[in-house]
Amino acid sequence: MKSRQTTCFLLLALSLAVPLFPSHASKDDSVFERIKREHELVEKELHQEKVKALSVRAMSSTGPQSIDVKHYRLQIQLLPNVPALAGTVTISAETTAPTDTIRIDAEANLIIDSLRFDGVQQDFKRKKSRIDISLAQPLPAQTSFALAIGYHGSPVTSNILGGGMLVARHPADGETVMANLSEPYAAPTWWPCIDDPTDKATAEIEATAPRGYQVASNGVLDRTQDNADHTTTFFWREGFPIATYLISVAATNYERFEDSYTAMDGVTKMPLVYYVYPEHLALAQQKFAVTRRALEIFAPAYGEYPFLSEKYGMAEFPWGGAMEHQTITSMGASIVGSATNNGELVIAHELAHHWWGDLVTMKTWDDIWLNEGFATYSEVLFFERYLNIDPGELMSRSYDDGKVFGNLGGTVTAESLDNPFNDRGAIYAKGAWVLHMLRHILGDQAFFDSLKDYRERFAFGNASTRDLQQVFEAHYGSSLDWFFQQWIYATGRPFYKVSTDVSTLDPSGGYVARVTIKQKQSQQIPGRVESVYIMPLDVTIHFEDGSSATQSVRNDSRKQTFLFAASKPPVDVVIDEGHWVLKKLK
Ligand SMILES: [Zn+2]
């Protein structure tokens, strides 16, 4: 597209002059300061993680297989004081095409003690990060089978996010805590599985820990059993399909407390179940109270909480951030135990992942923004409704360049599968901006309808960016390829240089405001010859009498001039006053 000058005449009826955000009270700076401090604390702790660099494979080493896992039964013994772990994983699966090899992800720290195929001992090859099984006879398609793998090993952490089976003492009473962080690729450091986020399955987690410990895990606790060797086994069952990186065990001398959420039907009650270090009980009881409020905010916006028949829970663990393990979020001890951080932002973020991440999971790790951008924008939606903050003001003040996520210079699609989290500015904050911009382009009704539709279509499964685009296009009524290409696959953002002139007098006796917008950025946008962003931009004319009027213009070339006729004297023109576009403006 060549540079050209376009002139538009847009007549502003003065009746358009309505305040931009009538429903949002102006907030003093303390709210933004609080949000900033909470972000900073999480970020600082993340950077402080001491990571023993176990190099786990960049992504599922097993690659695509013609196997559909139906159910995992994970029987695991946690030995926090050694520390060590041991267990048996039984994988119930079905072939989707004729198959003569099965590959299981299991990192080198796991020693495989036995392997049985349909109850019969089976030979296997131990590779660096996996187990290869060659079957004597190929299995026809749609054959059910069960693999039981006995193993033991030492806990290790990986070089991505410091994940793995974490072992630490909590400072106040010296008791050991053992809890996992598997995202993205660390599940096979503590249990053998087919570590493919698109192959979800139901799961039983039977975890044994020293007597006096409690084990928090996914789904529903069916029962506990005291064993003769002074251990207790916790029988957990996740009845909804779950991705392997969301399976979790967390064990220590937890204090457990409960709250309850009443569903939107006004009748159904769901337990909120919390496990915290004894020394943090009082703090946690204060902080976690907001969870119910967050559920009451997200359920009407996104549809009812997806795991209503099970629970929502949080379990404290020895890591700087938090992780949305399905129905049992792990919450960093530094957040739970902080005297200054009330944890609202993190609580809202992890809860929101239960729609965006757990219920609808990204199809590949390139699309991790579908988890993180959504959860980050959910922070904004939460504060918008909880504290009545204007979402644009919050986006521009707390989620732009130079804030705790760093610069938003990269592409929203992950740049490297070796570490999909290597550019948090783009994946978290710019991803949140993508949703914020779509919200303005579609309007609130169509935006939230799109999210509910996206949820419906991909519930308990996986979605790609392309899937999301198609849902938004169905509600928008035409292609949004122009939007997705420039915002997901291009680096950076548009740089608008704006000049305005409000002094022109219309020959007919009225007034004219003139706005010229030049685009100065130079990054490549896929499919475009020139670096030109196509965006609807709000132009707000302020008048001498204190009123204002806002008109949306379509900005789609290097240099464009817009003229606005008015019947009273304009004094100022502002581009994107509501902060609906990620941009640089001069
Ligand atoms: Zn997240």
Side-chain angles (χ1 to χ4, degrees):
M1 199 180 304
K2 278 177 68 179
S3 294
R4 64 197 162 95
Q5 171 137 353
T6 308
T7 306
C8 295
F9 285 91
L10 295 164
L11 207 63
L12 278 178
L14 291 179
S15 59
L16 281 177
V18 289
L20 267 178
F21 300 106
S23 62
H24 295 107
S26 77
K27 290 286 158 191
D28 65 58
D29 288 352
S30 65
V31 174
F32 299 99
E33 273 305 309
R34 195 151 65 76
I35 290 168
K36 182 165 166 253
R37 274 204 311 275
E38 197 176 331
H39 269 132
E40 278 171 351
L41 187 124
V42 175
E43 194 70 6
K44 196 169 112 247
E45 290 292 334
L46 281 177
H47 288 148
Q48 278 177 353
E49 287 302 322
K50 295 197 176 44
V51 176
K52 278 176 266 164
L54 167 86
S55 188
V56 301
R57 78 223 178 288
M59 61 206 81
S60 179
S61 67
T62 56
Q65 301 192 64
S66 304
I67 289 170
D68 178 14
V69 178
K70 301 290 187 188
H71 186 75
Y72 285 108
R73 183 180 181 201
L74 168 58
Q75 297 165 288
I76 187 166
Q77 178 116 25
L78 301 170
L79 303 158
N81 298 313
V82 178
L85 44 88
T88 302
V89 176
T90 307
I91 304 173
S92 304
E94 195 181 284
T95 54
T96 55
T99 300
D100 60 5
T101 55
I102 301 167
R103 297 179 299 276
I104 306 292
D105 293 300
E107 287 298 338
N109 63 306
L110 298 185
I111 292 148
I112 307 303
D113 302 316
S114 65
L115 196 148
R116 289 179 171 271
F117 181 89
D118 282 341
V120 177
Q121 193 176 324
Q122 168 74 40
D123 288 340
F124 61 93
K125 274 205 185 83
R126 188 71 172 101
K127 299 282 180 65
K128 183 170 174 276
S129 296
R130 62 177 213 247
I131 306 162
D132 285 0
I133 301 153
S134 299
L135 301 170
Q137 296 289 325
L139 296 174
Q142 275 77 53
T143 307
S144 296
F145 65 91
L147 266 181
I149 305 163
Y151 71 100
H152 71 277
S154 299
V156 291
T157 47
S158 85
N159 55 0
I160 308 177
L161 301 179
M165 181 59 79
L166 314 175
V167 183
R169 285 183 192 281
H170 35 113
D173 64 4
E175 203 64 61
T176 305
V177 53
M178 200 160 173
N180 72 290
L181 172 77
S182 296
E183 194 183 32
Y185 309 130
T189 68
W190 64 278
W191 67 290
C193 56
I194 294 181
D195 195 24
D196 171 355
T198 64
D199 194 358
K200 295 185 180 186
T202 53
E204 288 161 279
I205 300 117
E206 302 172 11
T208 300
R211 184 83 45 90
Y213 276 37
Q214 300 204 53
V215 183
S217 186
N218 313 95
V220 173
L221 180 62
D222 281 336
R223 64 191 174 94
T224 62
Q225 174 187 297
D226 285 335
N227 306 309
D229 59 355
H230 294 282
T231 61
T232 305
T233 304
F234 293 77
F235 294 80
W236 288 93
R237 181 173 39 83
E238 176 54 274
F240 294 107
I242 182 171
T244 46
Y245 77 93
L246 294 170
I247 288 189
S248 175
V249 292
T252 191
N253 61 335
Y254 282 126
E255 286 279 359
R256 180 181 181 281
F257 66 101
E258 283 200 18
D259 195 352
S260 145
Y261 162 69
T262 304
M264 286 195 292
D265 65 10
V267 180
T268 310
K269 298 232 188 262
M270 177 184 75
L272 305 175
V273 187
Y274 304 130
Y275 296 85
V276 298
Y277 300 170
E279 63 269 31
H280 294 155
L281 179 61
L283 272 173
Q285 282 172 328
Q286 281 170 27
K287 290 182 191 190
F288 290 5
V290 78
T291 311
R292 181 173 23 169
R293 188 76 195 93
L295 277 156
E296 289 164 357
I297 286 170
F298 290 143
Y302 299 154
E304 189 54 88
Y305 173 72
F307 310 100
L308 193 65
S309 59
E310 294 185 339
K311 72 171 187 302
Y312 184 69
M314 292 190 275
E316 190 168 355
F317 84 146
W319 194 65
M323 178 62 207
E324 65 272 19
H325 295 129
Q326 191 161 305
T327 74
I328 187 75
T329 284
S330 298
M331 285 293 280
S334 56
I335 299 164
V336 181
S338 165
T340 53
N341 172 5
N342 69 14
E344 286 172 346
L345 183 149
V346 182
I347 288 171
H349 179 109
E350 304 306 329
L351 175 64
H353 269 309
H354 281 69
W355 286 263
W356 319 123
D358 296 5
L359 176 65
V360 181
T361 307
M362 79 284 140
K363 205 172 266 175
T364 63
W365 291 102
D366 303 84
D367 277 338
I368 187 60
W369 84 274
L370 295 175
N371 293 11
E372 297 305 345
F374 273 65
T376 303
Y377 195 56
S378 297
E379 297 170 18
V380 174
L381 294 176
F382 169 74
F383 283 116
E384 179 185 354
R385 286 155 174 76
Y386 179 57
L387 297 178
N388 197 31
I389 300 183
D390 173 65
E393 189 176 7
L394 190 51
M395 288 303 290
S396 68
R397 292 183 65 166
S398 302
Y399 294 88
D400 204 339
D401 268 352
K403 313 299 177 201
V404 281
F405 286 112
N407 285 337
L408 281 52
T411 61
V412 168
T413 190
E415 284 139 19
S416 163
L417 278 181
D418 289 339
N419 181 0
F421 289 89
N422 71 346
D423 186 354
R424 288 161 51 86
I427 290 155
Y428 286 68
K430 195 177 172 188
W433 274 99
V434 166
L435 292 173
H436 186 61
M437 291 188 280
L438 282 167
R439 180 181 176 186
H440 195 50
I441 290 168
L442 273 83
D444 268 18
Q445 185 68 48
F447 175 76
F448 286 104
D449 285 351
S450 303
L451 292 187
K452 284 180 182 153
D453 193 6
Y454 175 67
R455 172 219 170 117
E456 287 295 315
R457 289 198 208 181
F458 301 103
F460 303 112
N462 302 76
S464 65
T465 298
R466 183 78 198 135
D467 293 327
L468 180 76
Q469 182 180 331
Q470 283 171 351
V471 172
F472 273 117
E473 286 174 341
H475 290 265
Y476 181 61
S478 86
S479 171
L480 283 165
D481 207 50
W482 56 273
F483 179 92
F484 278 80
Q485 291 303 326
Q486 67 196 14
W487 287 115
I488 304 289
Y489 306 106
T491 58
R493 63 174 78 188
F495 177 8
Y496 301 118
K497 196 167 176 214
V498 176
S499 53
T500 61
D501 178 7
V502 292
S503 62
T504 321
L505 202 61
D506 192 296
S508 64
Y511 299 89
V512 174
R514 177 193 298 268
V515 182
T516 299
I517 302 172
K518 289 183 191 164
Q519 294 195 26
K520 308 292 280 182
Q521 74 284 343
S522 59
Q523 67 270 23
Q524 278 262 301
I525 299 170
R528 277 176 219 168
V529 178
E530 260 199 285
S531 181
V532 171
Y533 279 72
I534 302 164
M535 277 303 279
L537 290 175
D538 284 352
V539 179
T540 300
I541 318 282
H542 290 268
F543 298 103
E544 207 174 66
D545 64 3
S547 65
S548 65
T550 299
Q551 177 82 44
S552 178
V553 300
R554 181 183 161 89
N555 177 233
D556 59 6
S557 55
R558 270 277 175 216
K559 185 180 173 196
Q560 240 172 336
T561 297
F562 302 93
L563 298 178
F564 302 88
S567 60
K568 54 185 180 179
V571 290
D572 195 15
V573 184
V574 182
I575 302 294
D576 191 31
E577 197 168 65
H579 307 290
W580 286 106
V581 179
L582 179 65
K583 63 189 181 301
K584 279 217 180 339
L585 191 62
K586 199 177 153 193

